[in-house]
Amino acid sequence: EPEVTQTPSHQVTQMGQEVILRCVPISNHLYFYWYRQILGQKVEFLVSFYNNEISEKSEIFDDQFSVERPDGSNFTLKIRSTKLEDSAMYFCASTRQGGTEAFFGQGTRLTVV
Amino acid sequence: GENVEQHPSTLSVQEGDSAVIKCTYSDSASNYFPWYKQELGKRPQLIIDIRSNVGEKKDQRIAVTLNKTAKHFSLHITETQPEDSAVYFCARSRYGNKLVFGAGTILRVKS
């Protein structure tokens, strides 16, 4: 069964450093998402991406965040200058055209020290 | 409002009993309501979903009910087992767009 894959599974970074989280969505899916989950809290929407552009973003997704689809398979989330409060699990998800079910990757645990 | 309110925040049941988790929303344009189970350190796993054109859906021991007029939906788990212990999240979306999640319910099934 096809699945969304994310790398790395765990990233530790120094405060102020840039990080790039990588995702490979399911190949025939057209809608891509990043969500964040701080430990012990709910899953929060960050950004949605369709047709090579951001379709919606939340208040969390400020100027420090960016997304990119550099080629036909990868979907990346970049945090330019990480803060301690960026420590969380980041999930990538994708849905197919006309679909409703979101398929989640296994997540990247980001720890900012 | 965009949020989804979920209750209770924790729920302890005896093995074999039923568990019910409830969510309310205010966005009347929402038409897709999934439920996710999340085990510690893992991704949210879709367990059942319902669309706004139906009022109830069942899959073995799990059922979901939707009252669109009152804007609430519920997850029912019957004959609970220890492996049902996890965090459960409700969510809503419009036409498969972004998911808005509830705060989660920690379910503990005591054997």
Side-chain angles (χ1 to χ4, degrees), chain A residues 56-73:
Chain A
E56 189 173 358
K57 59 184 180 180
S58 72
E59 291 176 354
I60 303 168
F61 194 89
D62 60 22
D63 292 345
Q64 292 301 309
F65 291 86
S66 62
V67 289
E68 196 176 34
R69 188 152 163 84
D71 53 44
S73 59

Side-chain angles (χ1 to χ4, degrees), chain A residues 8-86:
Chain A
S9 56
H10 190 190
Q11 172 102 37
V12 181
T13 189
Q14 295 271 345
M15 191 169 54
Q17 294 296 303
E18 174 184 287
V19 293
I20 297 176
L21 309 183
R22 302 180 192 280
C23 169
V24 179
I26 295 173
S27 62
N28 63 344
H29 285 192
L30 298 178
Y31 296 83
F32 313 123
Y33 308 85
W34 283 101
Y35 292 86
R36 177 184 84 174
Q37 186 177 32
I38 295 170
L39 186 64
Q41 297 186 23
K42 67 179 177 181
V43 179
E44 299 174 289
F45 168 76
L46 291 178
V47 65
S48 57
F49 192 85
Y50 171 71
N51 201 25
N52 283 319
E53 61 183 24
I54 290 173
S55 47
E56 189 173 358
K57 59 184 180 180
S58 72
E59 291 176 354
I60 303 168
F61 194 89
D62 60 22
D63 292 345
Q64 292 301 309
F65 291 86
S66 62
V67 289
E68 196 176 34
R69 188 152 163 84
D71 53 44
S73 59
N74 290 284
F75 179 50
T76 62
L77 174 69
K78 182 194 290 187
I79 309 175
R80 261 180 272 284
S81 177
T82 49
K83 303 188 277 283
L84 294 176
E85 54 264 38
D86 292 327

Side-chain angles (χ1 to χ4, degrees), chain B residues 48-95:
Chain B
I48 196 165
D49 57 13
I50 192 167
R51 287 163 180 77
S52 58
N53 57 344
V54 297
E56 185 173 353
K57 183 177 177 181
K58 191 172 181 182
D59 183 4
Q60 298 181 3
R61 296 187 298 110
I62 295 172
V64 55
T65 59
L66 170 66
N67 184 327
K68 255 213 123 183
T69 304
K71 296 193 183 70
H72 64 71
F73 56 113
S74 301
L75 176 72
H76 304 252
I77 306 174
T78 58
E79 299 171 35
T80 53
Q81 300 164 5
E83 52 265 38
D84 293 330
S85 296
V87 182
Y88 290 81
F89 292 95
C90 63
R92 63 152 189 90
S93 79
R94 298 181 181 185
Y95 305 102

Side-chain angles (χ1 to χ4, degrees), chain A residues 33 35 37 56 100 104-105, chain B residues 38 43 46 51 96 98-99 102:
Chain A
Y33 308 85
Y35 292 86
Q37 186 177 32
E56 189 173 358
T100 48
F104 281 83
Chain B
Q38 188 178 35
R43 77 186 89 187
L46 179 71
R51 287 163 180 77
K98 70 175 186 189
L99 290 164

